Amino acid sequence: MKALVYHGPGKRSWEEKPKPTIQEATDAIVKIAKTTICGTDLHILKGDVATVTDGRILGHEGVGVVEEVGQGVSSFRKGDRVLISCITSCGKCDACKKGMYSHCAKGGWILGNTIDGTQAELVRIPFADGSLYRVPAGADEAALVMLSDILPTGFECGVLNGQVKPGDSVAIVGAGPVGLAALLTAQFYSPAEIILIDMDENRLGVSRKLGATQVVNGTDGKAVAKVMALTGQKGVDVAIEAVGIPATFDICQDIVTAGGHIANVGVHGKSVALKLEKLWSHNVTITTRLVDTVTTPMLLKTVTSGKLQPRQLITHEFRLDEIMKAYDTFGNAAKEKALKVLVQGE
Ligand SMILES: NC(=O)c1ccc[n+]([C@@H]2O[C@H](COP(=O)([O-])OP(=O)(O)OC[C@H]3O[C@@H](n4cnc5c(N)ncnc54)[C@H](O)[C@@H]3O)[C@@H](O)[C@H]2O)c1
Ligand SMILES: [Zn+2]
Ligand SMILES: [Zn+2]
């Protein structure tokens, strides 16, 4: 079969690989119908993720058709159409029993990381019963691809951890796919204000269409002053960090109001200075989280009913054998005006 393979920092190729086979009774083999590229795949290509080694097939998102199941898989059989979660869950370990699938003793984020991923014609999914979801009849499968990672990430790490409530003022720093997923799902709770902060005018324009009440371009380094002005110098109840650099976490520390929440979503590669001299007396909560995908069944219902419409995040479409080109487009997101690229198998 063909697959997108990582060969060390800056090197990727579309090449022939052996077809995956069942290794454990709880495995399933899935034929990829649709996949996409994540910001995290770009982090990997920069060499930021040390666990990914030469020869690894990338990708942790997708929808497909079950080709084969091991004897221990009870919920799926050949021919079932399935959504693949970016998080693999055994369902039995202490972390899984707590609903913290991201820290599953035998799973967690392994796809396209420590085992081969979804940017291929076929993928092996360990613990298939806990890691796949049945595609509802008549569902828009392109929209469902957004449920593998970005929607549960924006929702769980941003909106739920940030405790967004009706009437709240919310600021989301970073209008990439993850920040926009937080924007879409924050609206379940009817906050009064949602302010999106980015440096990309196109993404800020998309944010307005998707429900942002205000947008702030932070290119001039004045994002904090602008957010304070928009909130009558009070600051926001919830500040969601969806970039992953010190500058944007700093913005969150400077705009959160007393009693508020900073919900970190971004993957950080450097330490960030905690402004405890200011925050200690402000009754502020800071949370971190690796997405658990524990809300996927709920989000699946909201997408199926049309309440949540993540298809709006797809800006480009490619065939699976054009995935090298899809990477070029996604890697130049600002110039190409790209958000999510949909990559279609046969
Ligand atoms: N916690 C988790 O489980 C989890 C899961 C998936 C992704 N992530 C992380 O979430 C983050 C966002 O993901 P994404 O795919 O949306 O990334 P992205 O790179 O597409 O989006 C980041 C956005 O931040 C903007 N930005 C950069 N610097 C800025 C600045 N100084 N001020 C304002 N805006 C700035 C960029 O213009 C871009 O639009 C990444 O760090 C990603 O690795 C975390
Ligand atoms: Zn991802
Ligand atoms: Zn587990």
Side-chain angles (χ1 to χ4, degrees), residues 48-215:
D48 286 350
V49 187
T51 45
V52 184
T53 49
D54 188 348
R56 176 70 60 238
I57 299 174
L58 298 184
H60 50 265
E61 301 164 277
V63 165
V65 187
V66 175
E67 183 98 345
E68 191 186 350
V69 293
Q71 285 179 342
V73 175
S74 57
S75 306
F76 301 100
R77 56 182 151 171
K78 184 175 165 69
D80 285 345
R81 298 195 76 87
V82 289
L83 164 67
I84 301 166
S85 175
C86 67
I87 299 293
T88 300
S89 161
C90 79
K92 292 182 176 165
C93 71
D94 288 350
C96 284
K97 286 269 160 73
K98 281 195 268 187
M100 200 170 63
Y101 306 155
S102 60
H103 290 263
C104 172
K106 294 175 178 169
W109 176 42
I110 55 174
L111 273 184
N113 177 8
T114 54
I115 66 168
D116 284 336
T118 56
Q119 291 166 6
E121 291 178 68
L122 295 159
V123 61
R124 180 179 71 92
I125 304 294
F127 303 109
D129 281 335
S131 314
L132 296 174
Y133 298 87
R134 196 172 295 277
V135 170
D140 173 5
E141 294 190 356
L144 293 195
V145 177
M146 307 302 117
L147 280 172
S148 290
D149 177 355
I150 61 163
L151 280 169
T153 295
F155 183 59
E156 294 175 9
C157 310
V159 175
L160 288 184
N161 273 15
Q163 299 182 35
V164 175
K165 289 185 290 301
D168 270 357
S169 54
V170 177
I172 301 171
V173 188
V178 169
L180 294 175
L183 168 62
L184 290 174
T185 55
Q187 293 168 67
F188 290 155
Y189 298 100
S190 302
E193 292 279 357
I194 313 179
I195 305 168
L196 263 286
I197 302 153
D198 203 292
M199 306 198 297
D200 178 337
E201 272 303 321
N202 174 56
R203 288 183 167 193
L204 290 174
V206 174
S207 305
R208 276 193 195 279
K209 285 196 201 119
L210 299 184
T213 55
Q214 304 279 355
V215 300

